[in-house]
Each structure stands twice: as C-alpha cells, then as structure tokens.
Amino acid sequence: MISKKSSPIQKNKEIIIIGAGWSGLACAVTLAQHGHKICILESANQAGGRARGVSFKHFLNKQVLDNGQHIMLGAYHETLSLFKHLNIKKNHIFERQHLNFNLYSPTHSQIQLKSPILPAPLHLLAAFISMQGLAFSERLKIIKMTLRLAVTQYKLKQDMSVSNLLQQYSQSSITISVLWEPLCLATMNTPIETASAQVFLNVLKDSFSRKRADSDLLFFRQDLSSTFSSPAIDYILHHGGEIQYREKALKLRRDTEHSFFVETSQTQYNCKTIVIATPPHITDKLLVHFASNDIASEQNILKPQGASLSYQYEAICTIYLQYPVDTRLPYRMVGLFDSIAQWAIDRSVANQPGLIAVIISGPGKHQKMSHQQLAEAVHKELSFCLPDLPELINFHVIRVKRATFSCRVNIEQQRPENDTHIDGLFLAGDYTNTHYPATLEGAIRSGKAAAEKIIEANNNRSFTL
Ligand SMILES: Cc1cc2nc3c(=O)[nH]c(=O)nc-3n(C[C@H](O)[C@H](O)[C@H](O)COP(=O)(O)OP(=O)(O)OC[C@H]3O[C@@H](n4cnc5c(N)ncnc54)[C@H](O)[C@@H]3O)c2cc1C
C-alpha cells in the first residue's frame, strides 16, 4: 500500500522571531508591548539560549543550575530597564555588591581592590590608589592610564589589541596579570593578545566613568530561566504572542514581495516580518537558503557594507564543585591568577550552599584535561583562598565551545545592523552592532533595537500608505 505523505501544516503570522535566547525574547517583549502579535520559533525545548537554567540527573538532586555561571554589571542598563518593565524585582533576583576584587595565587600575595563610597570616577581612582598587593609605582601607572583614557573619552583613533593598548600605557606584566587580563577575559571572553581594545574601552567607559553603581557586580539569586525567560514568556503570552518549542527553522526565503516563507521540521509559516535571533553561524546558514532563492549574496543582505557573519568563537568552561553545605568562599566572588581557574563564585547566593562555580574563559590548558582532572586541579587551586577547604563531594563540568563570538581587533567594522537590505528582514543577537562584547546586555540591547527598527519601519509603511 502506498502511504499518503501528509502535507505540512501552513500557518500565517504577522511577525516571526527565530530563536528564544535573550535577544529574541527582548525583541518579542518590546514588540508585544507595542501591540504586535509575535510568534517565536525555538529549536530547543526551552527558552533562554546560552543563558538558561538546566538540571542534571546525577548532580545536586536535579536542582536547577545555569548552563554556565553568569554575572551582570550595574552598567547593564538596557537589561535592568527591561527587567523593570517585566516587573522583575531587582532585590529579589540580585545580590548587588560594590566593585570589590580579591585575587589569589600560589606565588603572589593577595590582591585587593575595594571601591570606597565616592562618586564615579573618584571611587575607582581611590580604589586603585589603595589597591593592596601592587607596588605604588604600578598603581600610579594604572591611575595615569585611567585619567588619560577619560580625556580621550575612551575612544581610539584606530582599534588595536588590548595588550598593545596596555603596552602603550606602560602597564607592567604583574599589573596586566592581576588586573587587566582578568578584567578583559571576564568582560570580553577573549585573550588580551587578540581582544579589541575599543570594545574593552566601551565596557570600561560604561562601568567606570558615569555612576558608582555602574561598576557594581550583580549576582543572580536564582537560575537564569526563572530570572528572565519565564517572566518574559508570561508577558509575551499575556500580550497575545506565542512561542513554539522544538521548531527548528530550516529554510527561509521570500514568498511574495511582502511576505516570507519559513520552513521548520513540522510546519510552514508565512509572515510579513521576520527576525533572525540565532547566533551568527546559524543566521549565516539561514541566509544562505534565503540568498540562493532571492539575491546574490550575503553582502547584499547585511548592512553596513563590510558586515559579515563569519565569526570566530571562544569557549567558556564552568566547573560546579559541591562541598559540605557550610563551606564558604571568603568573598562572594574571588579571582585566581597564575592558575587554571580564573573566577570562583559562591553559589550560596542562589540558595545552593556549599556549591562553588569556577569559571574559565577563553582557551587554555584546561581544554586538554578530562572533566575529572579539571575538577581535581581547580579544587586544589581553591585552597589558595580557602586553606581549610574540605574534601570535594561531587562536581559537574559544563564546557560551551561557542560560548561567545571572539571579540577581536576591528570587530566593530564587521558587526551587522539590526535591519537589512531586505524589507521586513531583521537580525538580533549579541553579535550585532551593539558596541558591546557578547553579553546579556549586548543581547538585550540588540533585541530591543531590532524591535524598534520594526516599529519604525511599520510606522513609515503606514505613513506611506
Ligand atoms: C558559559 C557562558 C557564560 C557566560 N557568562 C556571561 C556573563 O557572566 N555575563 C554576560 O553578560 N554574558 C555571559 N555570557 C554571554 C551571554 O550568555 C550571551 O551573550 C547571550 O545569552 C546571547 O544571547 P542571544 O540571544 O544573542 O543568543 P543565544 O542565547 O544563542 O540564543 C539563540 C537562540 O536561538 C535558538 N536557535 C538556534 N538555531 C535555531 C533554529 N534554526 N531555529 C529556531 N531556533 C534556533 C537557540 O536554541 C537559542 O535559544 C555567557 C555565555 C556562556 C555560554
């Protein structure tokens, strides 16, 4: 008997967003707020993308952890304002700490940077002057650099690597390894030798030069899905939107002059407006289908000229270490240098006492180690800051290979705008032209900006009609 092939379901939508990461969700919330009916197609069985809560069968009794330990800065204004709009209570979801770094190593005395209660940027200058563990001459060079950068408005005539910038400002190797390198890796997830100095300065300017609270560190009190994805989805559904899980966009092309065709594994959709909110390597693949059916090449789709979706990526590894529940780090977050581990965060902040999340950004020798070897190595290193560290009970390692795009020199010239040369086709994602590295703030900025472009385009269209 010949089986009858069932024809795929066809659906018409006003606006489709492909991808429910933080950028796609931010775009959806902003559009929903302005009365648009949106439909999100998400390939996974949950929203949140790279910033989501997950639970593991054999670790922590299936308690929810994050796909990788995240923190935020007080300078993430767009994220904080979206949280406010969603009625997410800051005090409920964050522990806020003033700028306060404590770094440990087996070979060097403890480094401490603590900002006093002064307005910005005086709080920072005072923190550098009183920094413990660095010679006075080194601290003076840091202050000189900070002042000279402020005079230039943190703007370079030409981009260069962070290590070249530091050389130009005569920063010594010890200052680099205890201050600038950890800061660069934490904010850009890119080694100083290749990282874009201009993007680094954009982050420093936002965090250090305006308000003291901008340099605060914000630690999540709950997992990332409960923090943002769930309230964002509730808001979207409440405003007449929808989200379809396990709906992987496979093909995308222009249908008629004013509509698009999206094919997923199960359904065919038509829509007037489409936002691709996937990471660049996936966006690239989706646009290839689009381009082959429509116009010659990517260059004809992306704005501005020279924009491209060919990115390199950096990994992030999070090692969750479980100790007896009364184990505490000396500070909420500690830094480690001359070590494999870079930062450690005490998860008692998220009501997970005894759990420590160790973060390793970018490449390094940890990439060649097994999970077991890595957990043992970072466990040993934690004793630099906790000499009475008890026996490790359990551990879980999460390695994300394409955690962020590599934020390299001249990256700003290749980052695409949110709108494209195709009417009705928009992009969102941390890699677009936000002037920020791959961060939650970058993703939120991008999602909101894409939504604003859509609203503007629709207003212009109705004005012309
Ligand atoms: C381990 C780790 C630690 C990090 N730490 C920090 C931190 O401390 N602070 C910080 O600010 N940032 C941090 N980041 C970066 C931050 O998580 C990202 O910048 C941000 O989440 C990116 O959001 P996005 O929406 O641009 O992309 P994504 O989160 O990648 O979202 C894309 C979405 O598209 C979906 N998708 C993909 N293909 C398809 C398809 N064909 N059809 C439908 N859906 C599809 C995906 O499933 C995903 O949900 C970290 C990232 C990682 C991985």
Side-chain angles (χ1 to χ4, degrees):
M1 207 170 89
I2 303 165
S3 71
K4 221 175 167 187
K5 210 177 164 191
S6 59
S7 51
I9 308 160
Q10 299 248 3
K11 289 183 181 172
N12 289 323
K13 302 286 168 194
E14 181 197 339
I15 302 176
I16 285 183
I17 298 173
I18 302 176
W22 284 41
S23 65
L25 291 173
C27 183
V29 167
T30 312
L31 288 169
Q33 184 191 348
H34 286 82
H36 291 282
K37 297 274 172 285
I38 53 95
C39 168
I40 308 181
L41 306 179
E42 167 57 53
S43 58
N45 58 5
Q46 70 176 113
R50 280 169 275 164
R52 66 183 192 278
V54 276
S55 65
F56 301 96
K57 248 191 200 163
H58 304 293
F59 191 68
L60 221 67
N61 294 330
K62 292 198 199 163
Q63 274 187 53
V64 183
L65 292 165
D66 290 325
N67 177 49
Q69 176 67 47
H70 282 61
I71 63 165
M72 281 189 30
L73 295 174
Y76 285 12
H77 291 293
E78 292 291 340
T79 310
L80 293 171
S81 100
L82 189 66
F83 284 3
K84 194 170 174 191
H85 182 70
L86 292 173
N87 210 11
I88 300 172
K89 302 269 179 290
K90 276 191 279 186
N91 293 344
H92 192 65
I93 57 157
F94 291 130
E95 178 181 281
R96 183 180 268 267
Q97 279 195 5
H98 295 315
L99 183 67
N100 189 350
F101 283 150
N102 291 277
L103 289 109
Y104 297 81
S105 110
T107 52
H108 198 279
S109 56
Q110 184 186 341
I111 303 280
Q112 188 170 48
L113 179 88
K114 203 173 170 184
S115 64
I117 304 172
L118 285 171
L122 293 179
H123 75 307
L124 190 68
L125 297 177
F128 287 145
I129 288 175
S130 60
M131 195 170 169
Q132 285 175 23
L134 269 189
F136 185 67
S137 56
E138 310 287 357
R139 289 181 262 153
L140 217 54
K141 281 185 200 156
I142 302 174
I143 290 168
K144 270 192 194 159
M145 172 165 157
T146 315
L147 291 174
R148 279 172 58 198
L149 287 173
V151 171
T152 63
Q153 303 273 327
Y154 296 84
K155 196 102 207 114
L156 295 175
K157 286 203 179 100
Q158 199 175 2
D159 201 5
M160 61 180 83
S161 68
V162 170
S163 62
N164 277 348
L165 179 82
L166 298 173
Q167 235 169 27
Q168 277 193 8
Y169 285 93
S170 312
Q171 302 297 293
S172 68
S173 55
I174 180 71
T175 309
I176 292 173
S177 57
V178 304
L179 180 70
W180 298 120
E181 194 166 23
L183 264 185
C184 178
L185 278 171
T187 53
M188 315 243 291
N189 193 31
T190 307
I192 54 169
E193 294 77 18
T194 45
S196 157
Q198 186 54 67
V199 180
F200 187 51
L201 293 185
N202 298 344
V203 179
L204 293 188
K205 182 180 180 189
D206 276 9
S207 318
F208 293 154
S209 70
R210 293 176 179 143
K211 281 194 197 146
R212 179 174 193 248
D214 292 343
S215 61
D216 286 354
L217 304 171
L218 308 183
F219 299 99
F220 291 97
R221 290 189 196 274
Q222 50 186 25
D223 70 272
L224 293 165
S225 295
S226 314
T227 299
F228 175 62
S229 317
S230 299
I233 290 164
D234 287 349
Y235 183 96
I236 292 160
L237 299 180
H238 185 74
H239 285 75
E242 60 179 304
I243 176 159
Q244 304 293 341
Y245 298 102
R246 293 178 214 91
E247 277 275 57
K248 182 173 181 176
L250 299 170
K251 278 188 188 159
L252 170 62
R253 64 174 160 78
R254 178 88 92 188
D255 198 16
T256 65
E257 200 189 333
H258 295 296
S259 75
F260 297 99
F261 168 86
V262 187
E263 188 179 305
T264 70
S265 32
Q266 311 174 37
T267 320
Q268 293 181 345
Y269 292 89
N270 283 84
C271 62
K272 285 198 182 115
T273 303
I274 190 148
V275 183
I276 311 180
T278 56
H281 63 283
I282 295 172
T283 307
D284 196 23
K285 279 188 195 152
L286 287 169
L287 286 183
V288 163
H289 288 293
F290 191 83
S292 63
N293 280 293
D294 202 305
I295 45 177
S297 73
E298 187 178 275
Q299 274 92 49
N300 297 348
I301 300 178
L302 302 180
K303 283 182 182 176
Q305 217 191 351
S308 142
L309 295 166
S310 308
Y311 285 78
Q312 285 166 299
Y313 295 87
E314 304 286 352
I316 299 183
C317 178
T318 306
I319 305 120
Y320 289 107
L321 302 166
Q322 180 65 63
Y323 293 100
V325 290
D326 54 352
T327 312
R328 290 282 181 284
L329 289 176
Y331 302 94
R332 177 64 68 215
M333 177 167 97
V334 299
L336 296 142
F337 62 102
D338 294 337
S339 54
I340 295 170
Q342 293 165 357
W343 298 98
I345 290 171
D346 191 324
R347 297 274 308 174
S348 58
V349 66
N351 207 13
Q352 291 171 331
L355 184 69
I356 293 175
V358 169
I359 308 168
I360 310 174
S361 297
K365 51 183 170 189
H366 64 284
Q367 289 175 310
K368 295 217 167 98
M369 300 168 100
S370 69
H371 288 359
Q372 178 81 33
Q373 288 168 332
L374 184 55
E376 281 169 13
V378 296
H379 163 67
K380 266 193 204 144
E381 289 176 349
L382 280 183
S383 60
F384 305 158
C385 65
L386 252 188
D388 298 327
L389 190 67
E391 293 275 299
L392 183 60
I393 298 175
N394 201 355
F395 67 86
H396 190 84
V397 179
I398 302 180
R399 303 180 198 245
V400 184
K401 275 193 192 152
R402 284 192 175 124
T404 66
F405 66 85
S406 187
C407 197
R408 298 185 173 210
V409 179
N410 290 328
I411 191 96
E412 293 289 72
Q413 293 163 17
Q414 89 162 80
R415 298 175 81 171
E417 301 288 338
N418 296 101
D419 56 346
T420 66
H421 285 295
I422 313 285
D423 265 356
L425 174 67
F426 297 84
L427 306 177
D430 58 4
Y431 70 93
T432 63
N433 192 13
T434 65
H435 306 300
Y436 245 52
T439 50
L440 300 173
E441 174 73 359
I444 297 283
R445 280 186 185 188
S446 177
K448 279 182 155 184
E452 278 152 18
K453 290 264 172 154
I454 293 170
I455 294 161
E456 190 188 305
N458 280 355
N459 287 345
N460 290 344
R461 209 179 285 163
S462 33
F463 188 68
T464 324
L465 291 175

